[in-house]
């Protein structure tokens, strides 16, 4: 029997929640022989490896893979992608959980609709909020308007499955040793899929633990991650032949990241040298200038960003020294 879905789970020092995650996957309603769980140990130093070995010894659908060195979530996912055999690919973070019917229902939806991507609902545990990021009107055959809406709506890799042949055709692999490593990948996949479907069931539990990689806030490191993410989004997207049709959506995403990173700089006043902060602000400005060709009056930026945030971005574009002088010391 062929494998229908490969689920890739990057694991790094995840002993606190790993058992719950794996339990949610081994008890899926999809037959064990129809699903493989590729658990990628990213050189954990806690009890994660022992947990993986115990589960793999009892459940043959679990395969343990190993990164040769710590590579971050992106590098671990790449190891899984290289070994995946399923018709579709899914991702689960090791501190999250999947509802038991998730992959059976998503796979059935994907096959019935001949979809490259299927998105499903997510429950944000920390916010007590549930939603489906892909709207009904943005499913089925894709055009520039639907692509734009799906880019702007964002969401996560983990709530989706992807046709493996579609993914492999894109040549995508994740950036290593960074956060925001999946940002441009999800945007590119949403922009290039021929058909996209959704499943209006809450199937994924997103825990958002304090220790997760996406919570990295160390100033210099986060600044570097943000710079690389802005550049990666632009470099991945602007080469598409229909880029003009989705440009407003792509630039909204870059501007959103720009303002978030800029705000992170401003919050360091009084903690970090003003000369360093100013240098980082100028670096963000220069990258934004390269990646964003339109102004702030496009529909997504005008409708989705706060005026105060837009004003901060505009002032840094023209006079970062003045912007920094207006910020009170924290």
């Amino acid at each position: 029997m062929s494998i229908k879905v490969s689920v890739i789970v990057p694991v790094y020092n995840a002993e606190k929640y790993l058992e719950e995650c794996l339990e949610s996957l081994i008890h899926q309603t999809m037959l064990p022989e129809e699903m493989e769980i590729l658990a990628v140990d990213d050189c954990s130093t806690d009890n994660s490896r022992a947990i993986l070995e115990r589960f793999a010894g009892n459940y043959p659908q679990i395969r343990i893979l190993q990164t040769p060195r710590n590579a971050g979530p992106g590098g671990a996912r790449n190891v899984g992608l290289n070994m995946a055999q399923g018709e579709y690919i899914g991702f689960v973070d090791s501190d999250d959980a999947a509802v038991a019917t998730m992959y059976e229902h998503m796979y059935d939806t994907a096959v019935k609709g001949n979809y490259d991507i299927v998105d499903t609902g997510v429950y944000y545990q920390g916010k007590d909020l549930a939603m489906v990021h892909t709207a009904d009107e943005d499913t089925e055959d894709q055009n520039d308007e639907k692509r734009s809406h799906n880019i702007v709506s964002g969401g996560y890799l983990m709530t989706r499955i992807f046709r493996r042949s579609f993914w492999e055709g894109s040549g995508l692999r994740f950036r290593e040793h960074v956060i925001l490593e999946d940002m441009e990948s999800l945007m590119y996949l949403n922009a290039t899929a021929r058909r996209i479907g959704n499943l209006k069931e809450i199937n994924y539990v997103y825990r958002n633990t304090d220790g997760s990689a996406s919570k990295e806030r160390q100033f210099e490191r986060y600044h570097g991650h943000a710079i690389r993410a802005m550049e990666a989004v632009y470099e991945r997207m602007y080469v598409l032949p229909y880029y003009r049709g989705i440009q407003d959506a792509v630039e909204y995403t870059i501007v959103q990241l720009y303002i978030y990173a800029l705000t992170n700089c401003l919050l360091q006043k009084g903690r970090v040298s003003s000369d360093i902060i100013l240098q980082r602000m100028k670096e963000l400005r220069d990258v934004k200038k390269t990646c964003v060709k339109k102004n702030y009056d496009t529909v997504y930026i005008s409708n989705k960003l706060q005026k105060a945030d837009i004003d901060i971005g505009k002032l840094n574009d023209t006079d970062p020294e003045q912007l920094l002088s207006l910020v009170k010391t924290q």
Side-chain angles (χ1 to χ4, degrees), residues 41 51 86 97 111 125 229 247 256:
D41 178 19
I51 294 171
V111 171
Q125 191 175 73
Q247 184 173 355
Q256 186 181 40

Short mmCIF file of all heavy atoms in Angstrom, two decimals, residues 41 51 86 97 111 125 229 247 256:
data_model
loop_
_atom_site.label_atom_id
_atom_site.label_comp_id
_atom_site.label_asym_id
_atom_site.label_seq_id
_atom_site.Cartn_x
_atom_site.Cartn_y
_atom_site.Cartn_z
N ASP A 41 15.43 14.35 14.58
CA ASP A 41 16.14 14.80 15.77
C ASP A 41 17.22 15.79 15.36
O ASP A 41 18.19 15.42 14.68
CB ASP A 41 16.74 13.60 16.50
CG ASP A 41 17.53 14.00 17.74
OD1 ASP A 41 17.32 15.13 18.23
OD2 ASP A 41 18.36 13.20 18.19
N ILE A 51 12.67 9.43 23.87
CA ILE A 51 11.22 9.39 23.62
C ILE A 51 10.95 8.93 22.20
O ILE A 51 10.09 8.08 21.95
CB ILE A 51 10.60 10.78 23.89
CG1 ILE A 51 10.71 11.13 25.38
CG2 ILE A 51 9.14 10.81 23.45
CD1 ILE A 51 10.31 12.57 25.70
N GLY A 86 5.47 10.20 0.75
CA GLY A 86 4.02 10.31 0.63
C GLY A 86 3.57 11.08 -0.59
O GLY A 86 4.32 11.88 -1.16
N ALA A 97 -0.07 19.70 18.43
CA ALA A 97 -0.79 18.43 18.31
C ALA A 97 -1.79 18.50 17.16
O ALA A 97 -2.27 19.58 16.79
CB ALA A 97 -1.51 18.09 19.61
N VAL A 111 -7.56 14.91 -2.56
CA VAL A 111 -7.77 14.02 -3.70
C VAL A 111 -9.06 14.36 -4.43
O VAL A 111 -9.10 14.42 -5.67
CB VAL A 111 -7.77 12.55 -3.23
CG1 VAL A 111 -8.19 11.62 -4.36
CG2 VAL A 111 -6.38 12.17 -2.72
N GLN A 125 -3.95 27.99 21.14
CA GLN A 125 -4.21 27.70 22.54
C GLN A 125 -3.98 28.92 23.44
O GLN A 125 -4.77 29.21 24.33
CB GLN A 125 -3.34 26.53 22.99
CG GLN A 125 -3.70 25.96 24.33
CD GLN A 125 -2.86 24.73 24.64
OE1 GLN A 125 -1.67 24.84 24.94
NE2 GLN A 125 -3.46 23.56 24.58
N ALA A 229 14.83 37.58 6.23
CA ALA A 229 13.48 37.20 5.82
C ALA A 229 12.94 38.18 4.78
O ALA A 229 12.32 37.76 3.78
CB ALA A 229 12.55 37.15 7.02
N GLN A 247 2.01 41.87 -6.47
CA GLN A 247 3.03 42.73 -5.86
C GLN A 247 2.52 43.42 -4.60
O GLN A 247 3.24 43.50 -3.61
CB GLN A 247 3.50 43.77 -6.88
CG GLN A 247 4.64 44.66 -6.37
CD GLN A 247 5.19 45.57 -7.45
OE1 GLN A 247 4.79 45.48 -8.62
NE2 GLN A 247 6.10 46.45 -7.09
N GLN A 256 5.07 44.88 6.61
CA GLN A 256 4.66 44.43 7.94
C GLN A 256 5.87 43.96 8.74
O GLN A 256 6.03 44.32 9.92
CB GLN A 256 3.64 43.31 7.79
CG GLN A 256 3.02 42.85 9.09
CD GLN A 256 2.04 41.71 8.86
OE1 GLN A 256 2.30 40.82 8.04
NE2 GLN A 256 0.92 41.74 9.55
#
